[in-house]
Amino acid sequence: MTEFALLLLLAGIGPVLIAEALLARYEVLAYAAGWRTPTTALPAGMPYARGADPDDPPDAYLVYLDGIGKRRFHDTRDGGRLVKSLIAGAPELRVLGQVQPYSPLANPLANRPVWVWLRRHIGLVLFLHNVVQIFVAADRRYRPLYNRAVGAQIAAQLRLAGYRPDSGVPVVLLCYSGGAQVATGAVNELWSQLRCPLWLITLGGFHNGANDITHAQGLCQLTSAGDRIERVGARIFPQRWRLFRWSGWNRAERAGKITVHRLDPATHVGPRSYISPEARLPDGRSYLDRTADTVIALIRDRLGTTTG
């Protein structure tokens, strides 16, 4: 009976996966061909950033690139709790959470009528779409186009949030899970457009290690022994293996740009994830609190500041 149920599940999902594999490339190709222009407008009443006032230059701009659950400008997998915690704990930062890592055209899935219907009837398809987009972004045939598209999207949102190129104000890309593939790929485009000091913080980062992060000043890898999904990424992508010495990831490691910070025993997802507000540490803090505290401490250490 169990095998029969599994066959039915695969029979239902199989065609969806095939359709996604064929359609996932459309956005990046449409961007490259100039058929469609990425949107920069946000929903009415939604600010381009929160936190520090752009008229009084913030200590840094922080761009949050969420994992595969991202489907709107507003939402994140934790309902925005991590972003809110960062804003509350570090008022000196100007924080952006609206970037669409899995849409080169910056078009949220929730804004597309077909996807609204699919979400109501086959919710799993939303996640499959974003999963496939990660592999499109990692594919060497499409990676340069995808990197340029999302890098340009981030640069545009930063400008609209008050960032001035050549201002010297640092930009931090905080990326969860598959957001790491997009963040590492956006480095060159951001440097080209904004010429900004740039740092990356990956949280359970899932990426192929192929992207060149030479223009990033450093990458802080937040990880946990309980994070199986991150370990899968490190194993399935050859560019993450030490054998491939000249991959972007291994060059960055040899240059001393990558530092590892443990958040044990957190898991990638679930009730004990990095961003769980319920799971508690021995000191009484939630896993969410610890993650936010760690991110803020890393940024302040880089900035050489000690106060909020």
Side-chain angles (χ1 to χ4, degrees):
M1 185 66 181
T2 302
E3 293 177 354
F4 180 68
L6 180 60
L7 287 173
L8 286 178
L9 178 63
L10 292 175
I13 294 178
V16 174
L17 285 172
I18 293 172
E20 276 296 345
L22 295 173
L23 296 174
R25 300 166 178 79
Y26 167 75
E27 279 198 53
V28 71
L29 293 176
Y31 170 86
W35 299 334
R36 295 180 58 188
T37 303
T39 182
T40 56
L42 299 181
M46 183 178 182
Y48 283 100
R50 291 173 287 166
D53 191 327
D55 294 331
D56 182 16
D59 287 1
Y61 283 75
L62 185 147
V63 180
Y64 180 55
L65 303 176
D66 200 17
I68 61 170
K70 185 73 172 177
R71 61 186 183 274
R72 296 187 182 89
F73 287 116
H74 291 90
D75 72 354
T76 63
R77 71 170 66 198
D78 67 341
R81 283 189 292 261
L82 177 57
V83 169
K84 291 173 184 175
S85 295
L86 294 170
I87 294 170
E92 72 272 20
L93 303 179
R94 189 151 173 77
V95 182
L96 294 75
Q98 70 270 20
V99 171
Q100 302 297 304
Y102 313 106
S103 173
L105 295 174
N107 184 18
L109 286 180
N111 287 4
R112 311 178 198 183
V114 171
W115 289 100
V116 172
W117 184 90
L118 286 171
R119 179 172 178 264
R120 291 173 181 167
H121 296 81
I122 320 174
L124 180 63
V125 174
L126 291 169
F127 292 95
L128 291 177
H129 172 88
N130 288 348
V131 168
V132 173
Q133 288 289 13
I134 291 173
F135 285 94
V136 171
D139 189 316
R140 62 182 177 83
R141 297 169 296 176
Y142 306 103
R143 190 172 67 245
L145 296 173
Y146 202 104
N147 291 347
R148 189 166 75 243
V150 181
Q153 179 190 159
I154 296 171
Q157 292 296 321
L158 281 165
R159 287 194 183 94
L160 290 167
Y163 193 88
R164 292 177 297 168
D166 294 307
S167 65
V169 177
V171 171
V172 180
L173 301 183
L174 171 63
C175 41
Y176 200 130
S177 191
Q181 180 65 47
V182 178
T184 55
V187 168
N188 286 341
E189 187 68 19
L190 282 173
W191 172 256
S192 174
Q193 292 204 27
L194 303 181
R195 296 165 300 281
C196 56
L198 183 62
W199 305 322
L200 286 79
I201 301 176
T202 65
L203 182 58
F206 184 92
H207 62 98
N208 72 343
N211 288 317
D212 179 12
I213 58 172
T214 299
H215 290 302
Q217 296 188 358
L219 183 151
C220 299
Q221 181 184 6
L222 306 188
T223 186
S224 169
D227 188 341
R228 296 179 180 178
I229 292 177
E230 184 186 38
R231 290 203 302 275
V232 166
R235 291 170 180 169
I236 67 173
F237 293 118
Q239 295 93 336
R240 297 284 300 276
W241 305 348
R242 293 189 182 278
L243 175 66
F244 287 77
R245 289 178 49 81
W246 297 108
S247 70
W249 181 256
N250 286 319
R251 291 200 311 270
E253 276 201 319
R254 289 199 302 277
K257 289 192 172 186
I258 298 171
T259 57
V260 178
H261 305 267
R262 310 295 306 187
L263 295 179
D264 298 331
T267 57
H268 195 86
V269 293
R272 298 182 63 82
S273 75
Y274 299 109
I275 52 178
S276 170
E278 286 84 27
R280 297 283 165 180
L281 298 163
D283 63 10
R285 289 182 301 162
S286 70
Y287 284 18
L288 170 64
D289 292 336
R290 177 180 60 175
T291 297
D293 291 346
T294 302
V295 169
I296 292 170
L298 289 170
I299 294 173
R300 286 178 175 168
D301 182 64
R302 288 277 184 172
L303 295 173
T305 60
T306 57
T307 59

